[in-house]
Amino acid sequence: ASQTPFSAIALGEILRECGLPEGWLNIVTGDGREVGNAIVEHGGISFISFTGSAEVGWGLMQRSGRKRVSLELGNSTPLIVAANSDWNEAVQRIAVGGYSHAGQSCISVQRVYVQNEIASEFIDLLVEKVADLVVGDPADNSTNVSSLISESDRDRVHQWTCEAVDQGAKLRCGGEIDGSLLTPAVLSNVNLDMRVCRDEVFGPVVGVQTFESLGEAIPLANGTRYGLQAAIYSNDIADAMRATRELEFGAVLINESPTWRAELMPYGGVKDSGNTREGPDYAIDEMTERRLIVINN
């Protein structure tokens, strides 16, 4: 990524020190349009793996011709919280999963659907936990939430938050610009017509909406063009397994934050979230051309 090249360069240096032969890894820095287009158009490249926005990813695939393309794109990550669950734990997990990395993760908790009978207590506790998050310098170990990648992204997320309030959402805490920072926000009374729900916020904002029954919550969670990861907190195994069948996402987590991920698992989405599964075994399979050998003896 043109805004964050140093980690990739450092990884390349580490691999070289470990003995990776010259030419096996090549890091090219520069603007995505210039470098990305060169990779897409180069005849000597047979496989492309892209992580980024849906618009760029699918456009890249259309222009890639015969190349195989692996896409890991965005999400509008939902979490369903049933009244019979350990919803206090769900609040704790949302306070981490919705705001770590300032919400700049493809599986950052973005939409929370909480059952009516616990909604008031749930929202109050969530607001309390989020208001206690330490906002500041990322080099300070006490910091929970720092700045977004750019001022333009800070302004975009702030605009979406204000737009949601204008459309009827209630800002329960945060959502204020503080220098280069945007304070962590909790919105209630959100709906799928708002960009903070419909699209990927990629910022420190979580929206909460209530539901009466699971049959209402699942369509709400599915009401987005994305389908990377989702989760449900429920102590009813039948309801939890129903969610795994009906939620249109690449992964469904039960009694865990949808932000949880292990590198060895088949990570990837459906719909506008991509067309692949990552993880060592699955990535190798994506990059392998199968060859049939027939011997007549």
Side-chain angles (χ1 to χ4, degrees), residues 227-238:
L228 186 51
Q229 290 197 175
I232 180 170
Y233 266 81
S234 174
N235 286 338
D236 185 322
I237 189 62

Side-chain angles (χ1 to χ4, degrees), residues 75-216:
N75 200 32
S76 177
T77 310
L79 171 59
I80 297 171
V81 184
N84 64 17
S85 69
D86 184 353
W87 57 267
N88 283 273
E89 179 188 320
V91 168
Q92 303 289 341
R93 302 294 284 150
I94 294 166
V96 176
Y99 302 95
S100 56
H101 311 295
Q104 297 170 117
S105 165
C106 294
I107 47 176
S108 178
V109 179
Q110 181 173 328
R111 295 178 291 138
V112 177
Y113 297 101
V114 58
Q115 202 156 17
N116 279 331
E117 58 200 88
I118 60 168
S120 179
E121 293 176 277
F122 180 94
I123 293 172
D124 287 345
L125 182 58
L126 178 61
V127 169
E128 177 185 326
K129 295 298 180 183
V130 172
D132 285 342
L133 293 174
V134 177
V135 181
D137 185 347
D140 186 336
N141 288 333
S142 67
T143 295
N144 302 122
V145 181
S146 189
S147 60
L148 277 81
I149 189 65
S150 68
E151 289 187 354
S152 61
D153 281 290
R154 177 204 63 190
D155 294 342
R156 174 189 58 79
V157 176
H158 181 254
Q159 177 187 352
W160 287 17
T161 304
C162 294
E163 182 181 281
V165 172
D166 290 341
Q167 293 171 343
K170 184 176 180 180
L171 182 62
R172 303 298 296 263
C173 70
E176 299 176 349
I177 292 177
D178 181 7
S180 62
L181 302 169
L182 185 64
T183 57
V186 175
L187 291 166
S188 61
N189 301 333
V190 297
N191 62 63
L192 288 169
D193 292 328
M194 300 173 181
R195 282 196 288 185
V196 291
C197 293
R198 186 181 68 240
D199 298 323
E200 183 178 38
V201 172
F202 220 62
V205 179
V206 170
V208 183
Q209 186 173 351
T210 62
F211 68 90
E212 185 64 37
S213 67
L214 186 62
E216 179 187 358

Side-chain angles (χ1 to χ4, degrees), residues 243-256:
T244 67
R245 293 190 300 271
E246 297 183 17
L247 286 170
E248 300 167 353
F249 292 80
V252 178
L253 290 80
I254 299 172
N255 293 335
E256 179 56 271

